[in-house]
Amino acid sequence: MRVALHALCGAAGAAWRESFPLRGRDVARWFPGHMAKGLKKMQSSLKLVDCIIEVHDARIPLSGRNPLFQETLGLKPHVLVLNKMDLADLKQQQVKKIIQHLEGEGLKNVVFTNCVKEENIKQVIPLVRGLVEGSYRYHRGENLEYCAMVIGIPNVGKSSLINALRRQHLGKGKATRVGGEPGITRAVMSRIQVCDRPLMFLLDTPGVLSPRIESVEMGLKLALCGTVLDHLVGEETLADYLLYTLNRHRLFGYVQHYGLDGACDDITSVLKRVAVRLGKTQKVKVFTGTGDVNVIQPNYPAAARDFLRTFRSGLLGPVMLDRDVLQSLPLAAP
């Protein structure tokens, strides 16, 4: 099924918003506290591990990583796993810019993965093993086993990575609970075996956000990726930022998915059509001078939740939320 020609023509000629209204939005309220307790537990467990595996969302490869990870856990070899690569619009030039930028920050061991489909998962264990064997292990030098700590902000796929590694190397099922919302892993867990040769264990940890979000727009990107519960930001606010992003990127898959007449930059109009299309309406009693009247109204919050769920499941196509950041970076000569 293809988007109707008149919809594409209208979309191509439309003038989309060049900016998103950010004033009056309290990022601190979206990201309460700085989760210092979880970070302290990780620090106290450092003596038990040989390597750090940081998992982050490939749709925001340069946004939202917790800088405290590098500051407080940086003594150990560090692997960055950019997960959910299937949901990210990763063009070759963008991948080069991402890797160059991360190398400039001292991160030279980067793996793009899709833990659900186990793409590139086989790269992780050999990479960790090579880093550990090539580094000084301090008091763990006599240990024949390897142990790595899996860290990251909430809902980026830390538990999914552990489970995928277990399936790949041990042929075993889930060892950690996986969910589509933040807060599933709430405590530093006991060691979980993921490999026999070499004998390797991983420590799962709760998601820890940065104590300070740099900007409201970064907060919106993080929220779109599900790092906080939607209601803290507002489903309709998030849906509006998603619509703004899709239209700016000329990604009109939502028109086809919901069977709309054409692309639109007004979130109220889009959610109204989505609600009617999905049958998400509600009866509302309106008081008038001549009596009460029952009116059928679109359920805007329900339509916004479906719009967000559809985006997060990849049904609207891959999206690079850090596109503007990447466009501002120069591509170094090979």
Side-chain angles (χ1 to χ4, degrees), residues 73-84:
L73 309 175
L75 292 174
K76 303 287 183 175
H78 197 124
V79 175
L80 177 62
V81 174
L82 291 173
N83 190 32
K84 306 185 182 182

Side-chain angles (χ1 to χ4, degrees), residues 292-312:
D292 300 344
V293 178
N294 288 325
V295 178
I296 302 297
Q297 286 191 350
N299 187 334
Y300 291 102
R305 285 192 291 272
D306 192 88
F307 191 30
L308 293 170
R309 178 195 60 77
T310 303
F311 159 72
R312 288 167 180 159

Side-chain angles (χ1 to χ4, degrees), residues 113-134:
T113 66
N114 171 7
C115 289
V116 174
K117 295 183 179 178
E118 300 183 10
E119 294 179 69
N120 295 345
I121 290 296
K122 288 184 178 179
Q123 298 179 29
V124 177
I125 296 294
L127 182 56
V128 170
R129 181 179 186 176
L131 285 174
V132 174
E133 290 179 351

Side-chain angles (χ1 to χ4, degrees), residues 39-331:
L39 194 62
K40 285 181 179 178
K41 284 187 177 181
M42 293 180 206
Q43 282 180 289
S44 65
S45 301
L46 265 183
K47 59 187 177 183
L48 305 175
V49 304
D50 305 296
C51 182
I52 300 294
I53 301 175
E54 180 184 353
V55 185
H56 197 64
D57 196 308
R59 292 169 292 183
I60 46 171
L62 306 183
S63 295
R65 290 177 52 233
N66 192 335
L68 293 181
F69 288 151
Q70 194 70 20
E71 293 173 19
T72 58
L73 309 175
L75 292 174
K76 303 287 183 175
H78 197 124
V79 175
L80 177 62
V81 174
L82 291 173
N83 190 32
K84 306 185 182 182
M85 59 181 281
D86 56 312
L87 303 180
D89 186 14
L90 289 167
K91 296 180 173 62
Q92 186 176 8
Q93 190 178 61
Q94 290 178 325
V95 172
K96 287 181 180 179
K97 284 187 174 184
I98 292 167
I99 292 174
Q100 287 176 358
H101 183 80
L102 292 171
E103 284 181 346
E105 294 184 344
L107 273 171
K108 297 182 179 180
N109 303 289
V110 181
V111 182
F112 290 86
T113 66
N114 171 7
C115 289
V116 174
K117 295 183 179 178
E118 300 183 10
E119 294 179 69
N120 295 345
I121 290 296
K122 288 184 178 179
Q123 298 179 29
V124 177
I125 296 294
L127 182 56
V128 170
R129 181 179 186 176
L131 285 174
V132 174
E133 290 179 351
S135 63
Y136 183 60
R137 298 183 69 193
Y138 301 94
H139 62 283
R140 289 185 52 81
E142 300 300 319
N143 284 42
L144 298 178
E145 65 188 39
Y146 301 134
C147 185
M149 182 185 293
V150 182
I151 65 172
I153 63 176
N155 203 28
V156 290
K158 297 181 293 297
S159 297
S160 296
L161 174 66
I162 293 173
N163 292 332
L165 289 171
R166 281 174 60 82
R167 286 192 299 270
Q168 279 273 337
H169 298 280
L170 296 178
K172 294 184 178 180
K174 293 181 180 179
T176 63
R177 187 181 168 200
V178 176
E181 61 183 43
I184 293 297
T185 304
R186 296 187 179 275
V188 177
M189 298 177 64
S190 58
R191 301 190 315 164
I192 301 165
Q193 185 180 353
V194 293
C195 190
D196 272 329
R197 298 180 181 179
L199 182 57
M200 186 175 295
F201 296 85
L202 298 184
L203 287 180
D204 196 10
T205 64
V208 177
L209 289 160
S210 172
R212 181 177 175 273
I213 304 302
E214 290 182 13
S215 66
V216 174
E217 187 151 23
M218 181 183 286
L220 286 166
K221 289 180 186 179
L222 287 164
L224 265 188
C225 292
T227 61
V228 292
L229 296 173
D230 290 343
H231 74 269
L232 294 175
V233 181
E235 288 99 341
E236 292 175 56
T237 297
L238 273 181
D240 192 20
Y241 182 71
L242 173 59
L243 180 66
Y244 157 77
T245 301
L246 294 174
N247 286 336
R248 281 201 73 201
H249 293 191
R250 302 295 189 266
L251 299 172
F252 304 116
Y254 68 92
V255 177
Q256 174 181 332
H257 181 81
Y258 288 111
L260 307 181
D261 295 331
C264 177
D265 214 20
D266 179 66
I267 190 59
T268 302
S269 298
V270 170
L271 292 182
K272 181 178 181 180
R273 285 183 276 176
V274 168
V276 171
R277 181 80 179 181
L278 299 178
K280 294 183 181 294
T281 56
Q282 53 192 356
K283 283 185 179 180
V284 178
K285 187 174 287 188
V286 177
F287 299 99
T288 68
T290 57
D292 300 344
V293 178
N294 288 325
V295 178
I296 302 297
Q297 286 191 350
N299 187 334
Y300 291 102
R305 285 192 291 272
D306 192 88
F307 191 30
L308 293 170
R309 178 195 60 77
T310 303
F311 159 72
R312 288 167 180 159
S313 61
L315 294 175
L316 302 183
V319 180
M320 173 51 69
L321 295 174
D322 269 350
R323 192 189 72 161
D324 291 348
V325 178
L326 289 168
Q327 285 179 341
S328 68
L329 295 176
L331 183 62

